[in-house]
């Protein structure tokens, strides 16, 4: 018989709001409307109970990369699960096409096993003007035939491709991705406002780490930021680590787009959950100092060392977002974007028992994924 338990007494964040002294019942791998009389009851009074976090954009963690071996990928996944991320899309970084095709095959196997939720290709189809921590010599225009090569290599597990849609082939590639059910994300782009509108009309639905690696908002040349914020069809990624964004930029995004169109991401690299030192991001060397990752050559910010529990805590304690909005941006919105809202993203009966237990200071005390504890709460230790 499947294990049954009840988490009782917490402030539970549900789709309709916060319930004080709430109860969440779990049987086997799922949340249930009620538990059997013999269910184990765990008192979590004084804590918060929120859905498991969903990360759309993540390159690695725990000293390992999603561009590495299967063991590397699993180590990175495990690192982020310990911080509350129960669903994760593995992001690649610009490299030789043959290497990306090979990596897509490996990642697709792990997606089929349920270890990751899909594959995000960030590069090589991006602008050299806004390349960030991508190798310029490996960049290329988004030729639809080459985009198709990557999504074919992913064997149905390609979730998203980031493109500079103003480049030759960009709009045709957006249409190709939309036809195959793959998210076309606008990012690492030097597009104008008008070019961005054209890409959205062609089927692009995500802004890759809004504000970063794109022209700034201007009053005469509003650029991609204005187009991406104003269109209800677009979900905007935000890296809420206190490094990538000024708090006013985050406030602007939430004010204009709302929590239903904001997805907090990590854009994490190997050093997330690890420490300062030298790392590789694709073929490029990165120096991490005081938790900030920058390219050794040139000094560009090179992803982040963020975990989503830190993004959540910052959102509610520093940015003063309502807890419900932070939860939506960390769970419900990315789950919807991935087409998984029937299974994850909220604490509702029939959904996977993916949840995070936080103390009054919003620090992780427990993580459950599909009914199994990844981080065992102190109450059970």
């Amino acid at each position: 018989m499947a294990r049954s338990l009840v988490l009782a007494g917490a402030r539970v964040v549900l789709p309709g709001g916060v319930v004080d002294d709430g109860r969440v019942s779990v049987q086997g791998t799922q949340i249930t409307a009620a538990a059997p009389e013999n269910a184990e009851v765990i008192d979590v009074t004084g804590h918060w109970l929120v859905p498991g976090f969903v990360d759309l954009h993540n390159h690695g963690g725990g000293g390992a990369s999603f561009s590495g071996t299967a063991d590397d990928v699993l180590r990175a996944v495990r690192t982020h699960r310990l911080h509350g991320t129960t669903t994760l899309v593995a992001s690649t970084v610009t490299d030789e096409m043959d290497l990306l095709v090979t990596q897509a095959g490996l990642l697709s196997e792990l997606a089929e096993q349920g270890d990751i939720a899909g594959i995000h290709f960030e590069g090589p189809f991006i602008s050299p003007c806004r390349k960030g921590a991508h190798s310029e010599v490996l960049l290329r225009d988004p030729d639809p035939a080459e985009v198709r090569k990557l999504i074919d290599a992913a064997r149905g597990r390609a979730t998203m491709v980031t493109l500079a849609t103003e480049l030759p082939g960009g709009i045709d590639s957006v249409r190709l991705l939309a036809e195959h059910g793959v998210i076309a994300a606008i990012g690492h782009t030097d597009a104008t406002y008008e070019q961005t509108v054209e890409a959205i009309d062609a089927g692009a639905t995500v802004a890759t780490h809004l504000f970063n690696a794109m022209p700034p908002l201007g009053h005469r040349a509003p650029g991609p930021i204005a187009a991406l914020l104003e269109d209800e069809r677009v979900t905007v990624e935000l890296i809420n680590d206190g490094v990538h964004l000024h708090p006013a930029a985050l406030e602007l995004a939430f004010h204009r787009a709302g929590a239903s169109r904001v997805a907090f991401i990590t854009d994490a690299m190997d050093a997330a959950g690890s420490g300062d030192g030298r790392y590789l991001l694709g073929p490029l060397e990165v120096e991490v100092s005081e938790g900030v990752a920058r390219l050794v050559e040139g000094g560009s910010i090179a992803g982040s060392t963020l975990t989503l529990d830190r993004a959540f805590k910052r959102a509610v304690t520093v940015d003063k977002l309502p807890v419900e909005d932070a939860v939506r941006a960390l769970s419900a919105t990315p789950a919807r974007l991935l087409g998984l809202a029937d299974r994850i993203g909220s604490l509702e009966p029939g959904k996977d028992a993916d949840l995070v237990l936080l103390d009054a200071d919003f620090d992780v005390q427990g993580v459950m994924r599909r009914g199994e504890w990844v981080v065992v709460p102190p109450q059970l230790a």
Side-chain angles (χ1 to χ4, degrees), residues 14 49 61 70 92 97 101-102 173 180 252 257 284 297 356:
L14 299 175
L49 202 55
T92 63
M97 280 296 292
V101 165
T102 300
S173 292
H180 285 80
L252 172 63
L284 301 179
E297 186 175 339
V356 183

Side-chain angles (χ1 to χ4, degrees), residues 61-248:
S65 165
F66 293 130
S67 297
T69 65
D71 285 345
D72 290 334
V73 172
L74 294 174
R75 176 152 52 112
V77 168
R78 173 71 179 176
T79 295
H80 286 280
R81 284 185 187 166
L82 294 173
H83 293 273
T85 298
T86 52
T87 301
L88 181 151
V89 174
S91 302
T92 63
V93 68
T94 296
D95 215 322
E96 299 283 359
M97 280 296 292
D98 287 348
L99 292 176
L100 289 173
V101 165
T102 300
Q103 194 64 19
L106 182 151
L107 291 172
S108 69
E109 292 178 8
L110 296 172
E112 288 161 10
Q113 295 171 193
D115 296 304
I116 59 173
I119 308 166
H120 164 217
F121 297 101
E122 188 180 23
F125 311 115
I126 61 176
S127 172
C129 302
R130 304 285 174 177
K131 65 183 185 298
H134 292 256
S135 173
E136 184 167 354
V137 298
L138 296 173
L139 301 183
R140 57 184 68 208
D141 291 338
D143 178 349
E146 295 209 307
V147 174
R148 177 65 186 268
K149 185 187 297 185
L150 284 186
I151 61 175
D152 285 349
R155 301 200 302 264
R157 300 295 176 168
T159 298
M160 183 162 62
V161 178
T162 293
L163 307 161
T165 53
E166 76 278 8
L167 296 176
I171 297 300
D172 286 340
S173 292
V174 168
R175 294 194 181 103
L176 171 74
L177 291 167
E179 288 168 4
H180 285 80
V182 179
I183 296 165
I186 299 172
H188 288 277
T189 177
D190 204 40
T192 63
Y193 173 88
E194 291 77 14
Q195 288 170 327
T196 306
V197 169
E198 182 185 9
I200 296 168
D201 287 340
T205 57
V206 166
T208 294
H209 43 53
L210 187 73
F211 299 108
N212 296 112
M214 59 183 63
L217 186 66
H219 64 292
R220 291 193 183 93
I225 294 171
L228 293 162
L229 279 176
E230 73 184 8
D231 199 302
E232 295 295 324
R233 295 169 291 182
V234 177
T235 300
V236 299
E237 296 180 347
L238 297 179
I239 309 170
N240 192 28
D241 62 352
V243 176
H244 282 78
L245 295 176
H246 189 282

Side-chain angles (χ1 to χ4, degrees), residues 11-14 18 47-55 83-85 238-242 250 254 263-266 306-332 345 347 356-365:
R11 303 190 73 187
V12 182
V13 183
L14 299 175
V18 177
H47 290 69
W48 290 87
L49 202 55
V50 302
F53 306 143
V54 181
D55 197 351
H83 293 273
T85 298
L238 297 179
I239 309 170
N240 192 28
D241 62 352
L250 182 136
F254 269 89
F264 281 139
I265 61 163
T266 60
L306 188 63
T307 50
L308 282 182
D309 58 334
R310 286 171 45 214
F312 179 89
K313 182 170 181 173
R314 181 178 176 84
V316 296
T317 62
V318 177
D319 303 311
K320 304 302 182 183
L321 287 179
V323 171
E324 303 96 308
D325 284 355
V327 166
R328 197 166 185 179
L330 282 158
S331 302
L347 300 177
V356 183
L357 183 69
L358 304 160
D359 64 18
D361 295 322
F362 301 102
D363 291 319
V364 171
Q365 298 298 305

